[in-house]
Amino acid sequence: MNPVALLNAMPGAISQGLIWGIMAIGVFITYKVLDVSDLTVDGTLCTGGATFIMATMAGFQIPMALLLAFLAGLAAGLVTGLLHVACGIPAILAGILTQLALYSVNLRIMGKANQPINANNYDLLISSRNVKVLSPENPIFVVGVFVVLTIAVLYWFFGTELGSSLRATGSNANMARAQGINTNFTKVLGLMLANGLVALSSALLAQYQGFADVNMGRGAIVIGLAAVIIGQVVFGKVFRNFALKLLSVVLGSIIYFVVYQVVIALGMSGDDMKLITALIVAVFLTIPYWKAQYFSKSVKIGGDHHA
Amino acid sequence: MLDIKNIYKTFNPGTVNQKTALNGVSLHLAPGDFVTVIGGNGAGKSTLLNAVAGVWKVDSGSISIDGVDLTHMPEHKRAKYIGRVFQDPMMGTAATMQIEENLALAARRGKARTLRPGITKADREEYIERLKILDLGLEERLTSKVGLLSGGQRQALTLLMASLQKPKLLLLDEHTAALDPKTAAKVLDATEKIVARDDLTTLMITHNMKDAIAYGNRLIMMYNGHIVIDVAGEEKKKLTVPQLLELFSKVSGSDEASDKLLLG
């Protein structure tokens, strides 16, 4: 293990953690708030970057290109949502269908499998080359601002009447409908919002690494889940407020990328990281289930249903 | 007020599990009617309430409230007119949300949900006043998660939520069945108070014949997807449990049914 190399890798790990943190917030919205497993994100995590790069190269201003990427994410979420609520396809399968379709769409957007963008020719918001520079150009600072703004806006939104109806849908859809909430609408809205955030994260990632690649989203959902779960395990007891919960997701993402660097520094191959990620997520998902199954007395509330 | 005309509902048609749960049910409720519904397992009581609430669509027949045709209206739109409390205390509230958040959701029933704040200061004061009626001390736990409450507290809260926006019709589906006798009595007491205060038109399913006689101004009994007994006013007040059982065996033409009814 090389401590200096590891230390040198930290700023990059934190930058990536922040960028993926925005993506993980999207996963948090579907998985935790809406109680839907949305696999669209593996596709959307390329769509956002691809859209951003092509829009930028076509002459759009950076903020406009970011907006277009966000809109592309909303559209992807809309497709999954409609496949789910209007066509009756189970949410998980609807997400897989959109994800598969997006592979082709992403190739169409870029015209090829890998689309680079040169930070010298365009006024990109962030680049990995500035990761150790102490200036406002540093991606940790820039993405940090994005993270804070994202959390602030979401905190406000989920406190509104509309945002509350989204939370109610995930908590108890029966109750939500009995209170007059159109749960089909809220599910679609939640899927759109989540994928919009994933696309935004993707646009930042494409700038950071200087390219978009048709495979850049592979396994993204698992990394997102890892961030959500790590955040919950590490900070769940202390962070109760909704904004802090969102923050814990981002911190979970940073921890994930720091651990990634440690694993690399320990001499393991980066190729094994997806295996390790899958294992981490599987273990953390198993713990609460086994706890409930084998280590507690279950109390059943409510009798049998009458016809 | 509520007008149910000749509704039919068959579950799993064409399979071995085919079950005609509603077999031509018609029912008219006058404004302010408090109707108790009894019947054995599988008689169609809950099916009737779910048909009105719009959990699924009926096969034929029509349902309307105050002249508004609900027959083809989705569940969430019918909620504008209907407040509901379910048998399962888990079903009527959002466990992961706070008491005040649940109330706020209920306060917007039938209204557009906008980007205004979910809860305002004025809302909070109103909720405190409302919660005091329940006499469970919930007014001091506004920000507690509903998942922390007992079954009885949750049912009382659901009841309050169902009546927060005055509904045209209140549907109570054995809402005390899952509670211990003492808590059940408390929730029933709160039910009577709220129904009387707001003069709510109410359909209440109960498995308890005494309660069915004691509460409300009208009693219906269901059997095999039909309404077989319908008594109101003085006649209902004078009713006793043995009489009710006798009446039932006469209508259904079977003695064993009375056991089923008692146990159901």
Side-chain angles (χ1 to χ4, degrees):
Chain A
M1 180 162 158
N2 183 345
V4 179
L6 181 60
L7 211 61
N8 264 322
M10 279 305 113
I14 293 169
S15 301
Q16 280 195 298
L18 284 167
I19 294 170
W20 283 82
I22 294 174
M23 179 270 175
I25 288 177
V27 172
F28 179 87
I29 289 172
T30 47
Y31 182 68
K32 280 285 174 188
V33 177
L34 219 51
D35 198 20
V36 167
S37 300
D38 175 31
L39 300 188
T40 317
V41 296
D42 279 26
T44 320
L45 196 88
C46 171
T47 309
T51 306
F52 174 85
I53 288 183
M54 298 318 282
T56 306
M57 296 201 329
F60 284 96
Q61 297 289 314
I62 299 293
M64 191 61 197
L66 275 179
L67 181 67
L68 286 173
F70 182 72
L71 291 177
L74 291 186
L78 178 65
V79 170
T80 300
L82 290 180
L83 283 175
H84 178 43
V85 305
C87 306
I89 300 169
I92 200 154
L93 188 53
I96 291 173
L97 291 176
T98 313
Q99 180 201 117
L100 183 69
L102 280 177
Y103 190 87
S104 298
V105 172
N106 293 338
L107 284 172
R108 283 276 175 191
I109 292 173
M110 296 188 288
K112 49 184 173 179
N114 185 297
Q115 178 64 58
I117 187 164
N118 193 331
N120 293 327
N121 304 338
Y122 299 95
D123 194 17
L124 300 182
L125 284 173
I126 53 171
S127 168
S128 57
R129 65 174 70 165
N130 295 328
V131 80
K132 284 168 204 155
V133 185
L134 264 181
S135 83
E137 302 245 284
N138 190 309
I140 295 179
F141 174 75
V142 178
V143 183
V145 171
F146 268 89
V147 166
V148 169
L149 285 178
T150 303
I151 291 177
V153 170
L154 289 177
Y155 181 71
W156 163 78
F157 174 72
F158 281 104
T160 64
E161 294 172 347
L162 185 62
S164 299
S165 69
L166 248 80
R167 286 192 291 144
T169 303
S171 181
N172 184 347
N174 265 315
M175 171 270 190
R177 278 189 294 272
Q179 299 303 342
I181 293 166
N182 183 347
T183 50
N184 284 346
F185 171 74
T186 48
K187 278 180 194 165
V188 173
L189 186 64
L191 284 165
M192 288 175 70
L193 182 60
N195 280 286
L197 288 171
V198 173
L200 181 66
S201 158
S202 168
L204 292 171
L205 185 61
Q207 294 175 71
Y208 178 81
Q209 62 191 19
F211 65 89
D213 187 284
V214 75
N215 285 319
M216 71 194 266
R218 177 165 293 173
I221 179 71
V222 185
I223 295 177
L225 282 176
V228 170
I229 293 164
I230 293 170
Q232 190 183 334
V233 168
V234 179
F235 305 101
K237 287 254 158 60
V238 218
F239 287 2
R240 293 291 172 84
N241 177 287
F242 189 74
L244 291 177
K245 275 188 186 164
L246 294 179
L247 180 65
S248 74
V249 171
V250 178
L251 295 177
S253 170
I254 293 174
I255 292 173
Y256 171 84
F257 281 96
V258 167
V259 170
Y260 180 96
Q261 290 303 333
V262 172
V263 169
I264 300 279
L266 285 174
M268 287 183 76
S269 161
D271 294 348
D272 294 331
M273 202 52 202
K274 290 222 191 305
L275 174 65
I276 295 164
T277 307
L279 277 175
I280 292 172
V281 171
V283 166
F284 278 112
L285 287 177
T286 307
I287 291 170
Y289 176 74
W290 280 5
K291 256 187 177 168
Q293 199 80 351
Y294 305 112
F295 301 104
S296 72
K297 290 172 201 149
S298 70
V299 181
K300 191 168 180 271
I301 301 176
D304 293 328
H305 265 284
H306 291 244
Chain B
M1 153 85 259
L2 173 66
D3 247 316
I4 300 174
K5 282 191 189 131
N6 207 22
I7 55 171
Y8 285 83
K9 180 69 189 180
T10 300
F11 291 109
N12 309 311
T15 72
V16 284
N17 293 320
Q18 177 165 328
K19 160 97 184 150
T20 301
L22 294 176
N23 205 346
V25 173
S26 295
L27 180 67
H28 176 84
L29 263 59
D33 263 354
F34 184 169
V35 181
T36 55
V37 186
I38 55 172
N41 281 339
K45 309 181 302 285
S46 289
T47 312
L48 176 65
L49 259 61
N50 286 338
V52 174
V55 176
W56 23 252
K57 302 228 159 80
V58 291
D59 299 335
S60 64
S62 72
I63 301 165
S64 65
I65 289 181
D66 278 347
V68 180
D69 186 7
L70 303 184
T71 317
H72 301 288
M73 203 183 267
E75 190 179 3
H76 70 269
K77 283 196 180 153
R78 296 190 201 192
K80 183 175 175 187
Y81 310 101
I82 299 170
R84 291 153 75 191
V85 185
F86 310 92
Q87 179 182 358
D88 182 350
M90 297 298 142
M91 216 161 142
T93 46
T96 57
M97 296 173 79
Q98 301 168 352
I99 291 178
E100 62 176 19
E101 289 176 332
N102 272 273
L103 286 165
L105 287 166
R108 307 293 191 285
R109 183 159 47 76
K111 295 179 177 174
R113 287 169 205 268
T114 66
L115 293 176
R116 280 195 299 257
I119 306 169
T120 64
K121 224 175 181 179
D123 289 338
R124 208 163 270 141
E125 277 157 23
E126 192 199 334
Y127 300 158
I128 290 174
E129 287 312 307
R130 296 277 192 147
L131 283 166
K132 278 182 183 162
I133 301 171
L134 297 180
D135 195 21
L136 293 168
L138 295 182
E139 63 273 12
E140 282 158 25
R141 301 173 61 186
L142 277 186
T143 55
S144 291
K145 293 269 159 67
V146 169
L148 300 171
L149 304 184
S150 70
Q153 287 171 327
R154 286 181 77 156
Q155 286 304 70
L157 181 64
T158 310
L159 183 67
L160 195 63
M161 286 164 61
S163 57
L164 201 53
Q165 271 293 328
K166 189 180 164 182
K168 285 187 183 289
L169 176 69
L170 180 62
L171 300 178
L172 307 171
D173 186 355
E174 291 205 52
H175 67 308
T176 60
L179 309 176
D180 66 82
K182 212 174 145 191
T183 316
K186 227 175 171 178
V187 171
L188 265 179
D189 188 48
T191 306
E192 201 178 27
K193 257 193 223 164
I194 289 172
V195 168
R197 188 197 61 197
D198 294 344
D199 197 22
L200 298 176
T201 310
T202 306
L203 264 176
M204 177 173 93
I205 298 178
T206 173
H207 62 290
N208 185 321
M209 291 223 193
K210 272 192 201 147
D211 288 344
I213 293 167
Y215 291 89
N217 63 333
R218 185 173 163 192
L219 180 152
I220 62 175
M221 182 185 283
M222 294 192 70
Y223 178 72
N224 268 350
H226 297 279
I227 293 175
V228 289
I229 294 172
D230 187 343
V231 289
E234 286 304 309
E235 193 190 349
K236 174 183 178 276
K237 270 187 203 159
K238 282 187 261 167
L239 219 53
T240 62
V241 173
Q243 275 175 345
L244 202 52
L245 283 174
E246 197 189 329
L247 208 55
F248 181 69
S249 51
K250 209 159 72 192
V251 178
S252 65
S254 118
D255 285 334
E256 57 185 320
S258 58
D259 293 335
K260 231 172 105 183
L261 185 64
L262 273 177
L263 296 170

